[in-house]
Amino acid sequence: MARTSTAAATSLRDFSTSMAREETLLREGGGPAGLERQRKLGRLPARERMSQLLDKDSDFFEIGLWAAYKMYPQWGNVPAAGCIAGIGNVVGIPCMVIANDASVKAGAFFPATTKKVLRAQRIAFECSLPIIYLVDSAGVFLPMQDEIFPDEDDFGRIFRNNSVISAAGIPQFAAIMGNCVAGGAYLPVLCDKILMTQGSGLYLAGPSLVKAAIGQVVDQEELGGARMHSEISGTVDFYEKDDPSCLKRLRSLVALLPEAGATKPHRTDNKHFKAAKNPDAVYDLVSLDGQKNYDARDVLATIVDAHSIEEYKADYGKTIVSAYARIAGRAVGIVANQRLQVRTKKEGIQMGGVIYSDSADKAARFILDCNQTGLPIIFFQDVTGFMVGRDAEESGIIRSGAKLVNAVSNSVVPKITVIVGGSFGAGNYAMCGKAYDPRFIVAWPSARYAVMGAAQASDTVFSILAKARERGEKKTASEELEQLREKVKQTYEEQTDIRYGAARGWVDAIIQPHDTRDILIQLLQYVSRPMPHAHFHTGVIQV
């Protein structure tokens, strides 16, 4: 399988290590020059702001680190889409933190930036997480405004979400620590509390645009500086002299939340909760190219608590493993693709990684049961799709598949998806792909996303064109058909690389396989938070 920049990697372990090195580079943002520019302005780089805001030694689950990866070559690199987003503890309370990285294109919003912020807001809403925005952005990246500004899932949706999240009773804090201009100025003003540092700017139009629009000459501080907004317009709640002061104030404000007194950082007691197998064992089980068969139960043994698995209908629908289990003592339901070839009494031999009618029926019934008992469900995807052919159609594969998709669609318990290997075709849907609202969706470096595999896609296109040529509809030489087959295959191989999907927000994070258990422990804490029960609402107020 072709891999960009890491073609030499042959094992999952080697490829995972090389991807971790790439992530280190992504976290450098705009590089030394960009970071130095921030310091000259008397501002901390975005990741230093995050470090001072979050509790010391707090776990930080970063979302969308690969956003915008190789997506905008005409504009240069846009590491992490110029924005940092993730969940970490502030005074012991898990919070979603969204920070513009002004070292990358002055923190301007690209299409991928908007998508990343919307995803972070959605996760925060569904997990009832307070949101902290560290604002330092030049606004919409104007050369691409047509892809950022107008649609229902574009820039304006961020502010719509601010309003809906506030109405749900979820706290939002905004700290303006640099530029906050044009439409972006609505974000902090729609939050519960607004902090602003000296030297920052908050205005609908900057000095140059004001002069062009109405002929008024005004400097930045007079137009929308921290002093003006704290003393004259009354927009800002807290005037702060610098970044450290602002971040200290943010922590003190979060400490006022009702849950602060009762919340204690979660610590896993490894004396009582351990996996049956060493997490590193996954590298001996799963191959980088996805060709090696493995028993899904062996992978699960590196993740769930030892002796906690209670397999559901173990002898029926064997190409999906469904089980009750515990992770650090927390009860969960698990739906995992089985990659071993199996034998059933009714169907005979069934191929691993394929969903058959009996497997779909079993998984659908299991999902219904998890909803009945309120168990979060974790999906482990390594699926080539549903079974095809005459026998499969006679077995009612479409009906069974629809049943499973229906169950996943209407499931109301928290869902988390881990893509271990292939995520192809309708198998992606049935195993809770991005379109089916998993609270979190993460992937291993070995993950591959596409409607079908590269070889199948290229063979299908070749077959269609060859038949068209036989009918005389296309005058294509056999050499051209072969070239087209190879081109389609190469394109599919590039697009199935999980970094391609991560750049476009199809997954929240690419994780190291041996870290899966620890990351799921984190995520289960977040998805298990209770939603607020009561909301404060008023009628029309004269201002």
Side-chain angles (χ1 to χ4, degrees):
M1 183 171 59
R3 296 282 186 171
T4 58
S5 79
T6 52
T10 56
S11 73
L12 175 55
R13 187 189 297 272
D14 290 343
F15 189 62
S16 299
T17 300
S18 69
M19 195 169 281
R21 286 195 294 264
E22 282 191 87
E23 291 191 338
T24 299
L25 293 176
L26 290 174
R27 291 189 176 96
E28 292 179 2
L35 300 180
E36 184 58 30
R37 188 168 59 247
Q38 278 290 94
R39 297 188 194 284
K40 284 182 178 179
L41 292 169
R43 299 169 185 166
L44 294 174
R47 289 193 182 272
E48 289 189 25
R49 288 171 174 168
M50 300 280 266
S51 178
Q52 290 196 20
L53 174 66
L54 298 174
D55 295 347
K56 188 177 180 182
D57 300 324
S58 166
D59 290 327
F60 181 65
F61 178 71
E62 186 160 356
I63 294 161
L65 176 60
W66 291 85
Y69 178 72
K70 293 187 176 181
M71 284 183 66
Y72 310 114
Q74 68 274 41
W75 304 113
N77 291 328
V78 189
C83 173
I84 304 164
I87 305 168
N89 285 354
V90 178
V91 295
I93 299 176
C95 295
M96 175 66 76
V97 184
I98 303 171
N100 302 114
D101 186 351
S103 74
V104 179
K105 311 295 184 187
F109 272 70
F110 284 72
T113 319
T114 299
K115 192 168 187 176
K116 180 172 177 174
V117 172
L118 292 176
R119 176 63 178 161
Q121 287 182 319
R122 177 168 187 162
I123 289 172
F125 180 78
E126 292 181 342
C127 297
S128 190
L129 295 166
I131 309 178
I132 300 171
Y133 303 91
L134 305 182
V135 184
D136 191 354
S137 170
V140 166
F141 185 66
L142 293 179
M144 300 186 73
Q145 66 85 26
D146 61 319
E147 298 180 51
I148 304 168
F149 168 70
D151 214 340
E152 64 182 350
D153 57 351
D154 283 346
F155 198 53
R157 188 77 173 184
I158 294 172
F159 317 129
R160 174 264 183 197
N161 286 353
N162 287 136
S163 305
V164 171
I165 290 167
S166 181
I170 298 172
Q172 294 179 94
F173 306 83
I176 303 165
M177 309 175 80
N179 289 315
C180 184
V181 300
Y186 287 109
L187 183 148
V189 182
L190 287 165
C191 290
D192 303 358
K193 296 178 179 64
I194 309 173
L195 300 79
M196 190 170 179
T197 58
Q198 182 178 322
S200 296
L202 171 68
Y203 32 67
L204 291 178
S208 298
L209 186 54
V210 168
K211 183 178 179 181
I214 63 173
Q216 187 179 73
V217 178
V218 60
D219 65 31
Q220 177 177 311
E221 182 60 33
E222 185 183 3
L223 180 65
R227 282 286 181 202
M228 190 283 287
H229 280 304
S230 61
E231 297 176 1
I232 300 175
S233 78
T235 302
V236 168
D237 301 319
F238 297 93
Y239 170 90
E240 303 296 339
K241 63 178 181 177
D242 53 24
D243 283 12
S245 169
C246 185
L247 295 165
K248 184 178 179 181
R249 176 87 68 176
L250 272 173
R251 288 180 57 82
S252 68
L253 294 172
V254 174
L256 296 175
L257 295 178
E259 64 183 291
T263 301
K264 293 182 179 179
H266 180 80
R267 291 287 181 269
T268 301
D269 185 349
N270 288 319
K271 290 181 180 178
H272 293 93
F273 302 122
K274 285 185 176 180
K277 290 189 174 183
N278 188 312
D280 277 353
V282 296
Y283 296 111
D284 298 320
L285 296 169
V286 181
S287 64
L288 178 60
D289 61 9
Q291 299 302 308
K292 183 179 178 181
N293 289 334
Y294 61 86
D295 192 329
R297 299 177 189 89
D298 289 336
V299 170
L300 294 177
T302 70
I303 296 169
V304 304
D305 296 352
H307 313 299
S308 72
I309 288 185
E310 305 282 349
E311 193 168 344
Y312 176 85
K313 295 186 188 292
D315 298 318
Y316 182 79
K318 294 182 178 181
T319 64
I320 286 182
V321 173
S322 51
Y324 306 105
R326 291 182 180 273
I327 298 179
R330 197 183 298 267
V332 297
I334 287 173
V335 179
N337 296 114
Q338 174 60 280
R339 282 299 308 268
L340 287 181
Q341 181 176 282
V342 300
R343 181 182 291 275
T344 67
K345 288 190 174 180
K346 183 178 178 182
E347 303 289 342
I349 292 176
Q350 293 181 337
M351 293 183 288
V354 178
I355 302 176
Y356 291 77
S357 294
D358 54 355
S359 302
D361 287 343
K362 176 177 83 171
R365 178 64 182 80
F366 180 75
I367 290 167
L368 298 179
D369 192 70
C370 288
N371 277 268
Q372 192 75 357
T373 52
L375 284 180
I377 306 172
I378 304 175
F379 293 83
F380 290 88
Q381 285 194 12
D382 194 350
V383 58
T384 56
F386 284 87
M387 189 57 190
V388 297
R390 184 187 62 198
D391 293 344
E393 298 296 352
E394 289 178 353
S395 75
I397 188 67
I398 298 175
R399 183 181 66 247
S400 296
K403 198 184 304 178
L404 177 52
V405 169
N406 192 313
V408 173
S409 302
N410 287 293
S411 176
V412 295
V413 296
K415 302 182 295 255
I416 299 172
T417 299
V418 181
I419 307 175
V420 171
S423 181
F424 294 113
N428 169 278
Y429 304 157
M431 294 296 293
C432 197
K434 183 71 181 292
Y436 292 82
D437 298 335
R439 295 279 183 92
F440 295 94
I441 179 167
V442 298
W444 289 8
S446 50
R448 301 175 311 285
Y449 245 133
V451 70
M452 63 179 73
Q456 297 95 319
S458 57
D459 287 347
T460 300
V461 170
F462 180 87
S463 177
I464 292 170
L465 293 178
K467 287 179 180 178
R469 186 179 67 166
E470 290 172 6
R471 293 193 300 266
E473 296 172 11
K474 295 276 186 182
K475 296 180 180 179
T476 312
S478 57
E479 297 82 12
E480 292 178 301
L481 284 177
E482 284 296 342
Q483 288 174 1
L484 182 59
R485 185 211 293 259
E486 189 56 36
K487 184 178 180 181
V488 170
K489 185 177 180 181
Q490 183 179 350
T491 300
Y492 261 73
E493 286 175 341
E494 289 174 357
Q495 293 180 358
T496 56
D497 187 313
I498 194 57
R499 290 168 293 188
Y500 184 93
R504 289 154 180 79
W506 301 348
V507 296
D508 296 319
I510 301 174
I511 65 173
Q512 296 288 298
H514 63 271
D515 289 334
T516 305
R517 174 179 166 86
D518 290 339
I519 287 170
L520 287 176
I521 290 171
Q522 272 184 268
L523 301 187
L524 285 167
Q525 292 179 63
Y526 305 146
V527 302
S528 301
R529 289 170 55 82
M531 291 294 289
H533 297 297
H535 310 305
F536 172 71
H537 288 285
T538 68
V540 176
I541 298 176
Q542 295 297 329
V543 209

